[in-house]
């Protein structure tokens, strides 16, 4: 642990606030690894007064950062990506230690950060506006995009570094400054990332407060972010109830928000699909990151003709799941993030039994020092029972049968979340129907690949209670800028739109 902290410029005791200088004299939090319950390091939270100073500096930094040409801002993001390459091993290991995901997934998460930096460097030369034909003679109509301000980035524990980078790489090239409030479950990785950004900004001679940090309780520091008009955009990743609260507060002051909330991913397995692809995609989607991805596969909807055989094959895989220390290569599943998550999973299993589900396997706590290991659970259900409609953030997979493709799509869409979905089929009519307006109602709809593991190139996000936000690739950058439309008259005369005449 000491080597990892040292490689990232950290120590046993760290301060949780940054805006050009490190601050934090609030509550000291001992960060414990879910892998074995061992203490990793201490973090001092920021007080509300320290938060005020952090925000004031981050806001002040915007005044000069927004004037730096976008391609020059892109150079900073290129250097950020290079630093992340250098620190990939250490940062990926810290992600695994602090959050409990498999080491290869921790390294994959850092790779995702590098990828979004590369994407954003190109983007820094492509913040395109439009020109439109004007209805008036010798007039020009154009749209351009300007920096927005401070982006408050509030992140969930399960992707402790990638979500910050999705937001930060884009915000930086867009000319915004960033104030990050990470999950209190993963503060160390946030300090590590902020140190990396600090070094890069200092190397270039820019104000390091451009990437600020404030670690503290969501109900305290989070609410200060939600309610402060200096924060132009709040990009919030977390649960649906949390997003509902954040959305209300930010909307009240007419701030902008990006809401990336809970999912309830489903895979439809057609009798015309490749069952090996289905098994692998579903198994990884359900147990990867111990079922703690917003895009995790939580429901499988299988054609009745292949249902018994498919269920038995999946059950076989579940029985053999290697569970243990996520740093060991052979283990496919590590711990849940904390004991509370284990209790939530056990409670959901009890509820589904009462509601008519049949547990086929799993839900057994494993003896371990940290107390966070549990076997993945496979449950047979007659359809979307009330508990199935909820997002239980744990490796519980509900299995149900369907008769017609229309029925399968209705089951897939029959929940309040709308993030990720997939169909496994080799029938083009089925896959096109699934992708059509009559098909999946989710922000992500895949064919012959699972619900999780999105690439950074596409816009990421979901519909309905998932919040409607988009971040990462495609044109998601537009949420981080303000649009300005201009009419430019070079006629030397006054001509009004809509043919209105003005006789003086
Ligand atoms: P959470 O809702 O408990 O916490 C998320 C963040 O909100 C944390 O940083 C927390 O401190 C903060 N917070 C708490 N109260 C707040 C307040 N009053 N104001 C502002 N912020 C506040 O979520 P979690 O358990 O960390 O993460 C799991 C959830 O996140 C799941 O529902 C998962 O689906 C969702 N998630 C969604 C996406 C996505 O892109 N859609 C990605 C990852 C996780």
């Amino acid at each position: 642990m000491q080597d990892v902290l040292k490689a990232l410029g950290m120590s046993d005791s760290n301060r949780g606030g940054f805006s050009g200088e490190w601050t934090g004299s609030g509550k000291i939090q001992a960060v414990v690894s879910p892998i074995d319950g061992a203490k990793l390091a201490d973090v001092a939270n920021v007080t509300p007064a320290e938060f005020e100073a952090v925000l004031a500096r981050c806001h002040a930094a915007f005044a000069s950062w927004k004037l730096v040409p976008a391609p020059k801002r892109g150079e900073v993001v290129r250097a950020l990506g290079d630093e992340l390459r250098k620190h990939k091993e250490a940062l990926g290991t810290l992600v695994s230690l602090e959050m409990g995901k498999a080491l290869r997934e921790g390294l994959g998460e850092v790779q995702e950060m590098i990828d979004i930096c590369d994407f954003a460097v190109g983007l820094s030369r492509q913040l395109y506006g439009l020109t439109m034909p004007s209805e008036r003679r010798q007039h020009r109509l154009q749209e351009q995009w300007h920096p927005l301000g401070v982006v408050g980035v509030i992140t969930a524990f399960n992707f402790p570094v990638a979500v910050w980078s999705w937001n930060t790489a884009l915000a930086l090239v867009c000319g915004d400054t960033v104030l990050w409030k990470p999950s209190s479950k993963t503060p160390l990785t946030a300090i590590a990332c902020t140190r990396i950004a600090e070094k890069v900004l200092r190397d270039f001679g820019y104000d390091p407060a451009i990437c600020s940090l404030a670690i503290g309780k969501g109900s305290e520091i989070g609410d200060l972010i939600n309610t402060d008009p200096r924060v132009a955009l709040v990009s919030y990743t977390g649960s649906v109830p949390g997003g509902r609260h954040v959305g209300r507060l930010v909307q009240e002051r007419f701030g902008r928000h990006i809401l990336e909330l809970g999912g309830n991913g489903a895979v439809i397995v057609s009798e015309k699909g490749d069952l090996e692809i289905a098994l692998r995609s579903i198994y990884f989607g359900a147990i990867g990151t111990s079922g703690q991805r917003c895009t995790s596969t939580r429901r499988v909807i299988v054609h009745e003709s292949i249902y018994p055989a498919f269920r038995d094959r999946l059950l076989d895989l579940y029985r053999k799941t290697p569970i243990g220390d996520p740093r060991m290569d052979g283990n496919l599943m590590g711990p849940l993030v904390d004991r509370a998550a284990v209790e939530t999973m056990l409670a959901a299993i009890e509820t589904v039994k009462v509601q008519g589900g049949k547990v086929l396997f799993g839900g057994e706590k494993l003896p371990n020092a940290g107390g966070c290991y549990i076997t993945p659970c496979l449950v047979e259900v007659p359809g979307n029972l009330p508990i199935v409609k909820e997002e239980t953030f744990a490796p519980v997979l509900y299995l149900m049968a369907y008769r017609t493709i229309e029925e399968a799509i209705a089951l897939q869409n029959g929940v309040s979340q709308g993030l990720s979905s997939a169909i496994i089929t080799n029938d083009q009519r089925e896959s096109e129907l699934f992708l059509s307006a009559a098909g999946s109602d989710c922000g992500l709809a895949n064919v012959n690949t699972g619900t999780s593991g999105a690439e950074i190139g596409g816009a990421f996000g979901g519909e309905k209670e998932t919040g409607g936000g988009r971040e990462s690739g495609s044109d998601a950058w537009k949420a981080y800028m303000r649009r300005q439309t201009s009419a430019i008259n070079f006629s030397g005369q006054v001509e009004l739109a809509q043919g209105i005449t003005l006789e003086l």
Side-chain angles (χ1 to χ4, degrees), residues 240-384:
V240 170
R244 194 167 276 127
H245 172 81
V246 172
R248 214 166 18 227
L249 289 183
V250 176
Q251 182 56 41
E252 211 152 81
R253 62 176 174 87
F254 296 107
R256 287 203 203 167
H257 52 61
I258 296 174
L259 298 177
E260 299 282 353
L261 313 178
N264 196 344
V267 180
I268 297 172
V269 184
S270 161
E271 78 280 20
K272 297 162 200 157
D274 181 324
L275 294 194
E276 296 309 315
I277 288 181
L279 273 172
R280 280 180 166 69
S281 317
I282 289 164
Y283 184 57
F284 176 73
I287 67 142
T289 325
S290 302
Q292 298 169 114
R293 289 189 182 204
C294 50
T295 53
S296 286
T297 306
R298 310 213 176 277
R299 298 174 296 144
V300 184
I301 305 163
V302 188
H303 191 264
E304 59 179 5
S305 64
I306 55 166
Y307 182 87
F310 187 81
R311 176 196 56 204
D312 294 347
R313 291 277 314 271
L314 197 56
L315 194 52
D316 248 13
L317 287 178
Y318 264 67
R319 287 202 178 105
K320 288 186 215 146
T321 305
I323 305 172
D325 190 324
R327 292 165 297 183
M328 316 277 275
D329 229 10
N331 288 329
L332 284 183
M333 223 183 93
L336 299 199
V337 71
D338 54 23
R339 288 177 190 210
V342 173
E343 294 311 316
T344 303
M345 173 166 166
L346 290 172
I349 294 169
E350 285 314 306
T351 306
V352 77
K353 282 192 214 159
V354 173
Q355 292 180 358
K358 181 176 162 200
V359 174
L360 302 175
F361 178 81
E364 308 287 334
K365 271 205 241 184
L366 299 180
N368 173 272
C372 300
Y373 291 81
I374 185 163
T375 53
C377 186
L378 191 58
V379 189
E380 199 163 48
V381 290
N384 287 326

Side-chain angles (χ1 to χ4, degrees), residues 10 14-16 22 43 187-195 213 215:
M10 297 163 67
N14 304 277
R15 297 211 273 178
W22 286 89
V43 171
L188 293 174
T189 42
I191 293 171
C193 292
T194 304
R195 284 202 172 278
L213 176 72
I215 294 173

Side-chain angles (χ1 to χ4, degrees), residues 91-142:
L91 188 55
T93 305
L94 186 59
V95 167
S96 176
L97 282 167
E98 189 175 42
M99 184 273 165
K101 66 173 68 174
L103 178 57
R104 67 179 155 271
E105 290 184 38
L107 295 171
E109 193 173 335
V110 181
Q111 186 56 48
E112 205 171 335
M113 303 174 82
I114 294 165
D115 294 344
I116 193 71
C117 286
D118 287 351
F119 176 90
V121 176
L123 180 66
S124 70
R125 291 182 183 268
Q126 300 175 73
L127 302 169
Y128 299 135
L130 294 172
T131 57
M132 304 84 165
S134 168
E135 66 190 54
R136 291 171 282 182
R137 269 163 303 177
Q138 299 199 315
H139 280 63
R140 189 161 64 77
L141 209 52
Q142 70 165 31

Side-chain angles (χ1 to χ4, degrees), residues 154-159 163 166 181-185 216-219 222-223 226 236-240 242 245-246 260-263 293-294 391 393 419 460 466 471:
I154 300 177
T155 53
F157 77 84
N158 64 327
F159 277 91
V163 173
W166 287 5
K181 196 217 81 64
S183 165
S184 296
K185 293 176 187 170
K217 267 179 81 176
S219 55
D223 272 347
N226 299 334
Y236 176 86
T237 301
S239 61
V240 170
H245 172 81
V246 172
E260 299 282 353
L261 313 178
R293 289 189 182 204
C294 50
E391 181 198 48
F393 212 56
L419 181 56
F460 182 90
T466 302
E471 52 192 18

Side-chain angles (χ1 to χ4, degrees), residues 21 33 41 73 86 110 144 168 187 225 238 262 268 281 365 372 388 399 427 445 448 463:
E21 55 200 48
S33 175
R73 299 193 296 249
K86 282 187 216 155
V110 181
Q144 57 177 339
T168 299
I225 293 174
I268 297 172
S281 317
K365 271 205 241 184
C372 300
V388 175
L399 205 55
D427 181 323
N448 290 330
E463 303 301 329

